[in-house]
Amino acid sequence: MTDKLPDAEIIKRESNNLRGTIAEGLDDRATGAVSEDDTKLTKFHGAYLQDDRDLRDERRRQKLEPLYMFMVRLRLPGGVLTPEQWLGLDAISDDCANHTLRLTTRQTFQFHGVFKHHMRTFMRRINALGLDTKGACGDVNRNVIANVNPHQSGLHAQIYRLSTQISERLMWRSSAYAEIWLGEKRVHHLGGDEEEPFYNHYYLPRKFKVALAIPPENDCDVLANDIGLIAIIEDGQLAGFNVAVGGGMGMTYGNTATYPRLAEIAGFVPAERIVDACEAIAAIQRDHGCRTERSHARFKYTLDDHGMAWFLERFAEYHGSPMEPARECHFTHNGDRFGWQEGENGKRHLTLMIQSGRIADIEGYSLRTALREIANMHTGEFRVTCNQNLIIANVTSEQQDRIQAVVEQYGLDDGSRSTPLGRNAMSCVAFPTCALAMAESERYLPSLVSELDALMARHDLSETPINVRVTGCPNGCARPFLAEIGLTGKAIGKYNLYLGGDERGQRMNRLYLENIDTATIIDHLDPMLERYVAERKAAEGFGDFLVRVGIVDGERTPEVFHKAYSA
């Protein structure tokens, strides 16, 4: 690896704590873009500069620059917001974006089609709702995600509070955000590092992700994160967390030094010290992560370079005390629980399937209008799930009938709209806005699900849930490497097929075929499903079956979750 710092590292170090020339770029009406350096810096502010790739060729022929716009993502730890905030975001999507809301796999909202001249208005209106976009992207801690299936109401409330505390502790502090977006005057500091007491002027080597889960549910895919906190419940109380470290889904085609990785359980930390523990682990990555090669800069590579023993020594040093031995726990499920549930507090919670997380009114399905009507009557809260779905949470018994009437009027939980496979399917955005996309994903998912549903029906498997995830590239935004059937885009209409993940989020799948189209995918899955029907064991998942019968090489599949207890 080279010792020279990459441009991205130099830019953030010389950015005057993430100011750069963003403010000047926003005022430049000669272009819809900002400078290349500022494009990297706006990510820290939650905004990605994109363009409409569907229009690139036509605009080029007209000698116009690409149709630049921003995707803006919120920081929303734990995925919780009020009905008033929902209505505010809904209005912002009309006034400043592309008239849709999108729920992400990191339990927050992102807006598409925000043109540069709308950016300050957008940010100020988000701020007026008590929300922000700080650190939703960039080389800092990202949105902290957590279990939201709220049947265990008291425990989930604790987990939510911890997710907000971790997010606040690891949030960047520079007043650049308030100056650029909210019009506040600069507060002068003696030095740049005083303005960022944790991140200093160089921030983290790459993005950093934290998740919290309450076994046996794993709806946040906790092991896909740099820090995975697995709640240990003893005598009905939250004792603390098994701490898993080093997860991450991204990779680069053709670069064998990059790979997806499951987090590995390092030990146990009591609940009252877990926020400090997360800060210590992030500090280890800040100080020891690779800064000379961005493709090697994630925490998973730091761990693989130095080893678990090294990490535990550093943790004891940074945290002030060592981890305790991990405690026994297990997962059974990593999807959402749809329909109405009643929590421990007697309140009701309705989980609705939102395909690809996209909330829009389309012909024959006025989803956005329906949710606006619910928000106008709801007195509880909304919870975004890590699987791009939505929970209408803490509904009183008196309100349940009114909300259910809206649900039925607009067909929000109409069983004919989705199958078990469709309800568990996920996709990233990909075309037309993501610059990294090599193939369709969100726009491809409906036709793929239809093809798979027809195949499942032929084998009398229509009521069998199989986890399917699609991304337009190998960066892993929809966590395809944990799916029973995972697809990553390789070229227009072509995908790599991965098989053999499990329904618990504890086993990676493996590459099965490369660069194939939908017809080839169906042709190869057809005989596998035929065997699955004939040979599966009771309650055996499709991914588990593929490993057991040898279609997927399970011996090469990392299962570090189990290794913590195998001794």
Side-chain angles (χ1 to χ4, degrees), residues 122-432:
F122 179 97
M123 293 295 207
R124 289 172 183 175
R125 289 181 61 175
I126 291 293
N127 182 72
L129 294 173
L131 302 170
D132 64 64
T133 67
K134 190 183 293 186
C137 317
D139 295 346
V140 288
N141 182 60
R142 299 291 186 89
N143 197 50
V144 179
I145 62 176
N147 267 100
V148 294
N149 291 331
H151 54 282
Q152 295 174 296
S153 305
L155 286 173
H156 283 89
Q158 285 182 271
I159 294 298
Y160 169 63
R161 285 195 296 271
L162 284 171
S163 73
T164 62
Q165 290 168 17
I166 294 167
S167 181
E168 291 295 319
R169 179 73 67 86
L170 296 180
M171 182 177 65
W172 58 270
R173 304 293 175 189
S174 169
S175 58
Y177 188 89
E179 294 165 21
I180 293 168
W181 307 112
L182 308 180
E184 296 184 12
K185 292 185 178 179
R186 181 170 184 177
V187 176
H188 290 280
H189 297 268
L190 294 177
D193 289 351
E194 277 198 10
E195 197 168 3
E196 290 287 13
F198 177 75
Y199 287 113
N200 300 319
H201 64 285
Y202 41 83
Y203 299 89
L204 291 179
R206 284 295 297 273
K207 60 187 175 183
F208 196 83
K209 298 180 178 181
V210 182
L212 301 88
I214 305 175
E217 306 261 352
N218 185 24
D219 57 300
C220 66
D221 280 331
V222 68
L223 299 179
N225 293 268
D226 296 274
I227 301 176
L229 304 179
I230 302 165
I232 302 299
I233 312 303
E234 296 177 350
D235 299 322
Q237 302 298 315
L238 178 63
F241 296 85
N242 281 350
V243 179
V245 291
M249 292 288 99
M251 60 168 285
T252 301
Y253 289 138
N255 184 353
T256 57
T258 66
Y259 44 83
R261 185 188 193 274
L262 284 180
E264 184 175 356
I265 292 180
F268 173 87
V269 173
E272 63 272 14
R273 300 209 65 191
I274 199 63
V275 179
D276 292 339
C278 289
E279 183 177 22
I281 297 169
I284 293 170
Q285 171 64 355
R286 177 196 65 199
D287 297 344
H288 297 280
C290 176
R291 292 184 181 271
T292 58
E293 182 65 51
R294 281 187 68 80
S295 66
H296 195 70
R298 287 296 300 274
F299 187 40
K300 59 186 176 182
Y301 304 123
T302 306
L303 286 172
D304 283 345
D305 286 346
H306 295 284
M308 182 58 73
W310 172 90
F311 166 76
L312 291 172
E313 289 176 2
R314 297 290 77 71
F315 178 83
E317 173 189 339
Y318 279 66
H319 186 57
S321 60
M323 286 194 191
E324 300 174 21
R327 304 190 184 183
E328 186 173 356
C329 63
H330 70 282
F331 290 123
T332 60
H333 189 259
N334 72 338
D336 291 332
R337 307 289 187 179
F338 296 97
W340 286 100
Q341 302 175 67
E342 183 171 337
E344 294 171 343
N345 60 1
K347 297 289 183 69
R348 277 73 167 181
H349 314 281
L350 174 63
T351 303
L352 295 172
M353 191 276 287
I354 312 292
Q355 188 175 69
S356 295
R358 183 69 67 183
I359 296 172
D361 284 348
I362 60 175
E363 185 176 354
Y365 192 51
S366 300
L367 173 62
R368 186 173 161 222
T369 296
L371 292 175
R372 188 187 306 125
E373 287 191 22
I374 290 173
N376 274 307
M377 69 175 68
H378 186 30
T379 58
E381 62 202 19
F382 291 95
R383 294 176 177 237
V384 181
T385 83
C386 300
N387 296 306
Q388 302 176 302
N389 298 311
L390 183 68
I391 298 177
I392 303 167
N394 287 314
V395 178
T396 64
S397 56
E398 295 78 14
Q399 278 193 313
Q400 183 176 2
D401 288 344
R402 294 179 63 202
I403 289 176
Q404 181 60 28
V406 176
V407 168
E408 293 176 0
Q409 176 186 350
Y410 289 94
L412 301 192
D413 63 351
D414 183 353
S416 66
R417 296 195 66 86
S418 64
T419 59
L421 182 146
R423 284 193 291 274
N424 283 291
M426 290 202 299
S427 71
C428 68
V429 175
F431 288 99

Side-chain angles (χ1 to χ4, degrees), residues 71-89:
M71 180 276 284
V72 190
R73 187 179 294 148
L74 305 189
R75 184 178 69 96
L76 193 69
V80 176
L81 73 162
T82 66
E84 292 75 21
Q85 288 171 326
W86 181 281
L87 291 170
L89 297 179

